[in-house]
Amino acid sequence: MTNALLEIWDTPFGLPPFARIRDADFAPAMAAALAEGRAAVAVIAANPERPTFANTIAALELADDLLDRVAGVFYNLSGADANPARDALQREFAPMLSAYSSEITNNAALFARIDDLWRRREGLGLTDEEMRVLTLTHRSFVRSGAALEGAARERLTEVKSRLAVLGTAFTQNLLADERDWFMALSEDDLDGLPDFVVSAAREAGREKGQPGPVVTLSRSLIVPFLQFSSRRDLRERAYRAWTARGMNGGASDNRALTAEILALRAERATLLGYESFAAYKLETEMAGSPKAVRDLLMAVWEPARAQADADAGRLTAMLHDDGVNDALAPWDWRYYSEKRRLAEHDLDEAELKPYFQLDAMIAAAFDSAARLFGLEFRPLDVALYHPDARAWEVTRGGSHVAVFIGDYFARGSKRSGAWCSAMRSQRKLGGDVRPIVVNVCNFAKGDPCLLSYDDARTLFHEFGHALHHMLSNVTYGSISGTSVARDFVELPSQLYEHWLEVPAVLDRHARHAVTGAPIPSSLRDRLLAARTYDMGFQTVEYVASALVDLDFHDGPAPSDPIAAEAATLARIGMPAAITMRHATPHFAHVFSGDGYSAGYYSYMWSEVMDADAFAAFEEVGDPFDPATAARLERFILSAGGSAEADQLYTAFRGRMPGVEALLKGRGLDRVA
């Protein structure tokens, strides 16, 4: 039987032939892809001709074409539609891919060619983009240990391999805890829950094979349950299960893994000559150093905590007014905050939510992209990897730009959270390769599917990442799309959230699910006026997570990460009724891989820029100003990693911003 992954894909837009791909195809396809990559690298390394950019760097860019294709399909499926076979393959592939990567960076002949080009770079007549790719390639090899020798090189290879295994295990343990837990609700347990929450709970029950409604650990279901359930005992039970992910004992417990991961990262940094893993990781980011990160986070922490402390006092009074003679607990905050929002801003989630249908919010994201960048979206009737997934062709002026896939509903086979990935990235080297971009979310399924305002913001956020991929316009795949500094990658996504707040966008797309009537202007205005409501809570739970992440990596690795987490929270004065957004055993951003390790701060670093970037549109009085949108596309969205992030931002805006725009955007500039 033929292996569909190894065939030429004669499909619309070169989409993977999902209907013909079997789980049994992945292992032989991965083996073939690794063999092809090794052969290509061997040819480059053994080339008797003097190194040139074309025969070394450009050739290396194309060496992993088959591997990128196979891995692009597999890792999208393993995150969005896992099963036991794919889980086993992921555990098998992790050390294989780490070993392959180490083989390349440890190839002395190959690095000698790259180093030779680096030393002669000024006389090679390279374009700016070629110089950038050479710089990044050389830097990547050095930071991966190419300059190490002997035992140090061998040990670094072992460390990276073990980290790959541990990251995969952490991810699968977390998914197991999220998939296996649910709380069945009787009809008497539904007190206080609006119809949309009950509907989502019944749908979750059907997905779990239960006869009635259930609460799962999907954020889009458990958060509204915590907001509205009048049953404090059930809120506590659900909250404790949500925050205990990864630390329930048994095979899926992540606590020992986190300690080993942190120790190995510290060792990796030491082998490469850095004083800490944070120093190693942040060297190539915009922040540059742990001190710069800490300064930003603490500048935001103090006013955020002050606001949260003041809010906690008001919520505690409401708790006591309800006859509960107890301290405000984390499972109380959302419940009383929702009541306070209704009282102070006349905003009722049950009244608001029917105006935020999933399909309407997708249309709003598409419409904003059309007005800003001239993009058009046409639904595609193609086979995808799951019935919930949908696809669109993206065009501009009649020319193909990309394929966009949206996979929006929560299910047991999908890891939690929301993310954007590319099954195929844009590049011009070797032909005009157009991207296949995927947005994955975890919204509670309903008929129709109604989103919270926070859900709608998540949809816009992930679509901002998708635009970064779709509008990419570079020659080399290694700098395409979101291949930028980690603390710059969130700028396009967080910036795009602002268009959800544009009144004209809401007036056009926020229509009632039953009547079709547009959102009343009074309700819209109250919604926008309350956008910084409860921002003390939101900022505290995020910044606390970022500071714990930084402390984990800025110095010797803690032998007991849970104790180290507690020490950090005590030192910064964490409010008792708020917990970290991501406690250590389920902090997937940090422990599922190296992506956001010592880098969870990057959302806030990017927010400093996104608040200032949207101000560029506000200053000209038009959120869809063509000239500003053209600059945004030219210097940010299409540029990928073709220059340093601060250079790209300065080219767009003319300067770098300060933290003041962030504090103002969060309503924290007025905190005494």
Side-chain angles (χ1 to χ4, degrees):
M1 184 177 291
T2 60
N3 189 323
L5 289 163
L6 299 176
E7 298 173 359
I8 295 174
W9 293 346
D10 186 17
T11 56
F13 311 106
L15 283 164
F18 292 109
R20 296 194 299 109
I21 295 174
R22 303 165 299 135
D23 286 342
D25 293 335
F26 283 114
M30 187 66 76
L34 291 172
E36 183 175 296
R38 286 188 174 97
V41 169
V43 169
I44 298 168
N47 191 339
E49 298 177 3
R50 190 181 192 190
T52 65
F53 185 89
N55 70 20
T56 302
I57 304 300
L60 198 57
E61 288 269 326
L62 298 173
D64 286 338
D65 270 5
L66 180 58
L67 180 59
D68 290 341
R69 185 170 70 165
V70 173
V73 175
F74 176 76
Y75 283 100
N76 273 276
L77 266 61
S78 65
D81 195 25
N83 60 33
R86 291 170 189 168
D87 287 350
L89 287 168
Q90 196 173 14
R91 292 191 295 270
E92 177 185 342
F93 291 164
M96 290 170 55
L97 291 170
S98 177
Y100 174 73
S101 176
S102 292
E103 283 177 33
I104 294 174
T105 54
N106 290 346
N107 187 317
L110 177 62
F111 180 62
R113 296 179 67 84
I114 295 169
D115 198 46
D116 176 67
L117 288 170
W118 176 248
R119 295 176 189 279
R120 296 188 290 115
R121 62 189 181 278
E122 298 300 337
L124 296 176
L126 302 179
T127 66
D128 290 344
E129 188 174 331
E130 289 170 341
M131 182 66 81
R132 177 67 173 167
V133 173
L134 173 58
T135 299
L136 293 177
T137 302
H138 185 267
R139 186 175 76 183
S140 174
F141 269 68
V142 171
R143 286 171 55 82
S144 296
L148 297 180
E149 297 179 350
R153 172 182 287 190
E154 293 177 7
R155 178 55 185 161
L156 183 61
T157 298
E158 294 171 357
V159 166
K160 290 191 289 185
S161 178
R162 180 61 178 162
L163 283 170
V165 170
L166 292 171
T168 298
F170 184 98
T171 302
Q172 294 187 353
N173 289 346
L174 180 55
L175 179 59
D177 276 6
E178 292 170 344
R179 179 183 59 230
D180 294 344
W181 188 92
F182 64 87
M183 181 174 69
L185 301 174
S186 70
E187 294 303 313
D188 292 338
D189 296 335
L190 305 179
D191 187 51
L193 300 181
D195 289 344
F196 72 85
V197 180
V198 175
S199 175
R202 294 193 191 282
E203 180 61 38
R206 282 190 286 272
E207 200 264 340
K208 294 293 185 185
Q210 298 300 304
V214 305
V215 174
T216 69
L217 297 181
S218 170
R219 178 176 285 272
S220 62
L221 179 51
I222 199 168
V223 166
F225 180 80
L226 293 170
Q227 285 177 301
F228 294 105
S229 175
S230 60
R231 290 281 301 277
R232 193 174 190 237
D233 58 329
L234 297 182
R235 295 200 311 267
E236 179 178 2
R237 181 179 167 195
Y239 190 87
R240 288 190 183 280
W242 193 31
T243 54
R245 291 169 293 159
M247 52 179 171
N248 288 304
S252 64
D253 197 295
N254 275 331
R255 284 173 286 192
L257 271 63
T258 61
E260 186 177 357
I261 287 170
L262 293 173
L264 289 172
R265 285 177 180 164
E267 183 180 0
R268 178 181 182 180
T270 299
L271 287 167
L272 292 168
Y274 294 87
E275 63 181 18
S276 69
F277 183 80
Y280 160 74
K281 189 69 182 294
L282 296 172
E283 179 186 48
T284 59
E285 306 298 334
M286 292 184 74
S289 70
K291 181 181 183 303
V293 173
R294 196 176 301 280
D295 288 347
L296 169 68
L297 294 175
M298 292 309 297
V300 178
W301 174 258
E302 295 299 340
R305 185 183 62 180
Q307 183 65 64
D309 286 342
D311 292 341
R314 297 183 180 93
L315 301 185
T316 298
M318 296 172 69
L319 174 75
H320 293 168
D321 288 345
D322 273 356
V324 180
N325 187 23
D326 198 357
L328 184 74
W331 47 89
D332 297 319
W333 191 292
R334 288 175 174 85
Y335 179 71
Y336 286 102
S337 180
E338 183 64 27
K339 286 180 173 293
R340 182 184 167 206
R341 185 174 75 146
L342 176 59
E344 294 185 3
H345 295 279
D346 193 20
L347 277 181
D348 181 354
E349 187 77 8
E351 177 191 9
L352 186 63
K353 201 160 186 175
Y355 291 100
F356 289 89
Q357 300 175 69
L358 172 60
D359 287 349
M361 291 301 100
I362 294 171
F366 287 177
D367 182 46
S368 297
R371 297 180 65 182
L372 287 164
F373 310 114
L375 300 178
E376 298 177 331
F377 299 83
R378 178 179 67 88
L380 293 175
D381 184 13
V382 293
L384 297 171
Y385 59 88
H386 192 278
D388 285 346
R390 293 183 269 175
W392 293 263
E393 182 193 10
V394 186
T395 60
R396 180 158 59 180
S399 298
H400 178 72
V401 172
V403 170
F404 174 68
I405 297 172
D407 182 359
Y408 295 106
F409 298 125
R411 55 180 176 267
S413 63
K414 183 189 288 187
R415 65 179 170 90
S416 62
W419 64 93
C420 176
S421 60
M423 287 194 184
R424 184 176 67 215
S425 296
Q426 180 272 333
R427 74 169 194 234
K428 297 176 185 176
L429 184 67
D432 185 14
V433 178
R434 304 308 309 168
I436 300 172
V437 188
V438 187
N439 273 180
V440 183
C441 298
N442 271 280
F443 303 140
K445 187 178 286 189
D447 185 20
C449 176
L450 302 180
L451 306 183
S452 67
Y453 191 64
D454 187 57
D455 287 338
R457 190 162 52 239
T458 295
L459 187 149
F460 268 68
H461 178 102
E462 298 307 332
F463 194 72
H465 282 308
L467 288 172
H468 205 178
H469 281 293
M470 291 189 284
L471 293 174
S472 179
N473 185 28
V474 297
T475 299
Y476 301 96
S478 63
I479 57 170
S480 174
T482 60
S483 298
V484 298
R486 179 63 62 179
D487 49 12
F488 191 64
V489 76
E490 298 297 337
L491 169 61
S493 55
Q494 293 178 185
L495 173 59
Y496 204 66
E497 294 178 31
H498 288 273
W499 275 274
L500 178 61
E501 300 176 348
V502 172
V505 173
L506 292 172
D507 290 346
R508 180 172 182 179
H509 296 284
R511 293 181 172 271
H512 197 278
V514 177
T515 67
I519 187 170
S521 58
S522 59
L523 179 58
R524 179 204 67 201
D525 292 346
R526 296 198 307 274
L527 172 66
L528 295 179
R531 59 189 152 193
T532 61
Y533 173 72
D534 213 20
M535 196 55 73
F537 169 87
Q538 295 178 41
T539 307
V540 160
E541 66 166 4
Y542 166 78
V543 175
S545 297
L547 284 167
V548 167
D549 168 42
L550 183 63
D551 282 358
F552 277 161
H553 297 99
D554 186 20
S559 58
D560 184 347
I562 304 302
E565 171 192 300
T568 293
L569 298 180
R571 174 176 56 80
I572 63 177
M574 184 73 170
I578 305 178
T579 59
M580 292 168 59
R581 185 174 176 86
H582 305 287
T584 298
H586 57 260
F587 206 162
H589 282 79
V590 171
F591 292 106
S592 286
D594 276 354
Y596 283 89
S597 56
Y600 191 62
Y601 77 92
S602 60
Y603 290 93
M604 187 147 283
W605 192 274
S606 293
E607 191 177 339
V608 171
M609 290 177 285
D610 85 63
D612 178 69
F614 191 70
F617 289 89
E618 294 176 320
E619 288 164 8
V620 296
D622 181 2
F624 296 99
D625 177 61
T628 309
R631 290 203 317 276
L632 177 64
E633 179 178 353
R634 177 185 176 188
F635 295 116
I636 307 293
L637 297 175
S638 73
S642 59
E644 292 291 344
D646 57 348
Q647 295 174 7
L648 294 173
Y649 189 84
T650 302
F652 164 65
R653 195 68 170 105
R655 52 161 175 74
M656 290 297 293
V659 73
E660 296 78 18
L662 180 149
L663 292 173
K664 181 179 179 181
R666 286 184 171 245
L668 298 174
D669 57 327
R670 301 181 298 274
V671 177

